[in-house]
Amino acid sequence: MSNKLKKFIAKQKLKFGAAGSGRKLNSEVPQPCSSSQKAHSSFSRDVYVPPKRKELSAEAKAAAEAALARVQSTDKKEFNTSLAAIKAQVRRELEMERKAKESTLQEGSSGDNNADNERKDLAVQGVFFRCPLISEEILPRKEWKVKIKDFLYEQMQHERGLSACLIVYNCNPKEKYEPCVETLIKCLENIQNNPNEEKYKKIRMTNRMFCDKIKVCEGALELLHAAGFEEITIDDEPYLIWSEENMESETTLQSLIEALKCSEPIHLELDRNIQVLLPSQVRRTNLPDDFYRISPEEIKREQLRRTQALEDAQILKTKAMREKEELRTLNRYKFTLIRVRFPNGVFLQGTFNVYEKLSQVYEFVQSCLMHEASEFVLISSTEQRFTEADFDKSLYDLKLVPTILFNFSYENESQQLSDYLKEELMLLIQSI
């Protein structure tokens, strides 16, 4: 990232019924006439008014109600209306509801317990990162993506063009922002190199190139607005029209072009997530999903497919076939968990990227020693010793993935030392 971008981030770091109405049969209001009836309204007859009937006597009403009750009782099932029966029914329903709630709570608690057991069984709780340009927090990658996005949008009110440029790089996947940046640079350079050509100052927003490369990329429209483009409708079609008057103060096309060419995603630094373990705690060897390049479900499906293929084939593997399969397995992982066992039984644990070099593992261990100037060697659990030529190789090339256990040993004049890790690191044992 250019110095200008770093200064900008450092400067902004702290600002964070069509049928009509009906009519009763005994109504005296005539029904609305249709168009044909209106034409012959003069020939329409008077509305029929039914004669008034005499009201039923009390005896007749009682007899009718009794007959209606007898008819209804034959259609319905008998229901015990006694107070005791009703209370019993209510108790049964309440009991069923209570049991349903208890079973639901038990399922939820068992699920939580299973989740807790899974978390306790993990060798490490996740992969964490730092971002010194934004803050000193240590967070997972997903949380950093949200935090970086919020930070950049907060800076839009201070310097819209540069902030929009960084949003393009940090809030979109690489396959989206690369063609978008290329197209934006071309649009701005056309205006800069051809100031009198009107065709370069107008972008039709329904254009396929615009929709496929610019519109789909977050932050791209904000950058065009900062560059002097304004949305205008011409013949019922939306356009972006450029005008020098619409450009923000202290913003030039050349500065935006340089920003697009020099910017890059904000880098996250992998946190070692240092832990000091006792021998009983080293039994936890399961890795979280963050260590994998693909999801655990995909790994299971791939494993089942390979198992089935091996059972069907029933052939012997050559050395080349075994090496190819081993590399395919290593490609599943993005990170590796390094553990160093000291002679006093304590283990030091840290997280590394698979493409970090072996020399960085030595530097990590050296920074944790009480005597940092001492000479030491790390030996693999298979008694493999690494040469100076291996120091420049990646952990992936040395096949130290996804987990590796080293045995620590002092060398030469440092063999008489009996102290290993720093005191502040030894205190981490209590918090695990």
Side-chain angles (χ1 to χ4, degrees):
M1 186 182 291
S2 64
N3 294 332
K4 182 177 180 182
L5 297 181
K6 290 184 178 180
K7 291 180 180 179
F8 165 73
I9 293 178
K11 177 181 177 183
Q12 304 297 338
K13 187 174 179 180
L14 299 177
K15 303 175 181 178
F16 193 88
S21 58
R23 180 177 70 88
K24 293 182 179 180
L25 292 177
N26 59 354
S27 174
E28 298 182 1
V29 181
Q31 187 175 1
C33 299
S34 62
S35 58
S36 61
Q37 289 173 335
K38 288 181 181 179
H40 305 84
S41 59
S42 59
F43 301 101
S44 61
R45 292 180 295 178
D46 294 335
V47 178
Y48 169 75
V49 179
K52 294 184 179 180
R53 298 180 180 181
K54 294 182 180 180
E55 295 183 1
L56 295 175
S57 62
E59 293 80 2
K61 287 182 179 181
E65 290 177 356
L68 181 62
R70 285 195 298 272
V71 172
Q72 291 178 346
S73 64
T74 58
D75 297 336
K76 296 183 179 180
K77 295 181 179 179
E78 293 185 0
F79 179 75
N80 192 346
T81 57
S82 66
L83 182 60
I86 294 174
K87 287 183 177 180
Q89 179 68 18
V90 171
R91 283 197 297 269
R92 284 195 296 270
E93 292 183 0
L94 290 175
E95 184 67 18
M96 292 173 61
E97 185 178 356
R98 183 183 63 80
K99 289 181 178 179
K101 287 183 178 180
E102 287 181 354
S103 62
T104 304
L105 291 175
Q106 288 177 357
E107 291 176 0
S109 61
S110 62
D112 294 340
N113 292 335
N114 291 336
D116 291 339
N117 291 335
E118 290 176 359
R119 287 193 292 268
K120 291 178 181 178
D121 190 45
L122 294 177
V124 63
Q125 294 303 314
V127 181
F128 300 91
F129 298 85
R130 299 174 181 267
C131 186
L133 289 173
I134 306 298
S135 70
E136 297 300 326
E137 295 178 274
I138 300 175
L139 303 170
R141 184 186 295 274
K142 289 183 179 179
E143 294 184 22
W144 267 123
K145 291 297 183 184
V146 175
K147 197 173 187 67
I148 290 174
K149 181 178 179 178
D150 294 340
F151 172 81
L152 293 177
Y153 271 100
E154 287 177 3
Q155 311 314 313
M156 290 284 286
Q157 55 184 336
H158 304 295
E159 193 162 347
R160 191 178 184 184
L162 188 54
S163 298
C165 178
L166 291 173
I167 289 173
V168 170
Y169 273 90
N170 290 277
C171 300
N172 300 283
K174 188 175 182 179
E175 58 270 16
K176 275 190 177 181
Y177 76 68
E178 283 187 342
C180 176
V181 168
E182 183 180 351
T183 307
L184 289 172
I185 292 174
K186 186 176 180 180
C187 291
L188 299 182
E189 285 182 341
N190 285 338
I191 298 175
Q192 186 182 37
N193 299 331
N194 306 279
N196 298 324
E197 291 285 345
E198 294 297 327
K199 65 178 181 180
Y200 295 126
K201 301 178 182 180
K202 183 168 65 174
I203 301 175
R204 183 162 55 90
M205 298 183 70
T206 55
N207 180 277
R208 183 176 179 180
M209 179 272 297
F210 178 85
C211 294
D212 293 345
K213 295 185 178 181
I214 296 180
K215 191 176 181 179
V216 297
C217 201
E218 187 173 358
L221 282 177
E222 286 80 359
L223 188 138
L224 289 175
H225 291 155
F229 283 90
E230 184 180 4
E231 294 185 24
I232 298 177
T233 302
I234 302 176
D235 296 333
D236 295 331
E237 196 166 4
Y239 282 85
L240 283 172
I241 307 298
W242 182 84
S243 174
E244 191 173 0
E245 298 175 355
N246 296 330
M247 295 186 65
E248 296 183 352
S249 58
E250 300 181 0
T251 300
T252 62
L253 291 176
Q254 183 61 35
S255 64
L256 292 177
I257 292 172
E258 290 179 357
L260 285 169
K261 290 181 178 180
C262 300
S263 295
E264 60 185 19
I266 294 177
H267 179 64
L268 296 178
E269 298 178 1
L270 178 64
D271 182 70
R272 297 299 181 209
N273 192 16
I274 298 177
Q275 295 184 12
V276 180
L277 309 174
L278 295 173
S280 60
Q281 297 169 324
V282 182
R283 297 173 185 172
R284 297 174 293 184
T285 57
N286 293 336
L287 297 175
D289 296 344
D290 294 342
F291 271 69
Y292 298 94
R293 295 185 186 275
I294 56 179
S295 65
E297 291 76 13
E298 292 173 322
I299 293 176
K300 291 178 181 178
R301 287 197 296 268
E302 177 69 13
Q303 185 62 35
L304 289 174
R305 187 189 66 79
R306 291 183 184 177
T307 303
Q308 186 64 36
L310 288 175
E311 291 176 355
D312 295 341
Q314 292 293 324
I315 59 174
L316 295 175
K317 295 182 182 178
T318 64
K319 182 179 179 181
M321 293 172 64
R322 290 195 300 270
E323 291 178 350
K324 185 177 181 181
E325 184 175 349
E326 186 178 1
L327 289 176
R328 191 183 297 116
T329 303
L330 296 179
N331 286 332
R332 297 174 182 172
Y333 300 94
K334 296 186 292 184
F335 305 97
T336 182
L337 192 67
I338 301 294
R339 284 175 170 173
V340 180
R341 177 167 53 197
F342 291 88
N344 60 359
V346 173
F347 291 76
L348 176 68
Q349 177 176 288
T351 304
F352 288 77
N353 190 293
V354 294
Y355 297 114
E356 291 190 75
K357 297 179 180 179
L358 180 63
S359 59
Q360 293 175 275
V361 176
Y362 269 78
E363 291 173 2
F364 163 69
V365 175
Q366 189 172 26
S367 66
C368 297
L369 295 177
M370 183 177 292
H371 307 283
E372 294 189 15
S374 60
E375 297 182 26
F376 65 92
V377 64
L378 298 178
I379 307 171
S380 71
S381 56
T382 58
E383 300 298 327
Q384 178 184 2
R385 287 177 175 265
F386 299 96
T387 63
E388 293 185 1
D390 295 328
F391 278 44
D392 291 331
K393 295 180 180 180
S394 68
L395 301 176
Y396 174 83
D397 294 332
L398 295 172
K399 299 180 182 180
L400 303 177
V401 177
T403 59
I404 186 66
L405 175 63
F406 289 112
N407 291 312
F408 178 91
S409 176
Y410 280 123
E411 278 199 333
N412 301 330
E413 298 178 357
S414 303
Q415 291 181 358
Q416 299 177 354
L417 298 175
S418 58
D419 296 324
Y420 302 100
L421 294 178
K422 295 178 179 178
E423 293 182 359
E424 56 267 28
L425 292 179
M426 294 296 293
L427 295 176
L428 295 177
I429 297 178
Q430 302 175 4
S431 61
I432 295 176

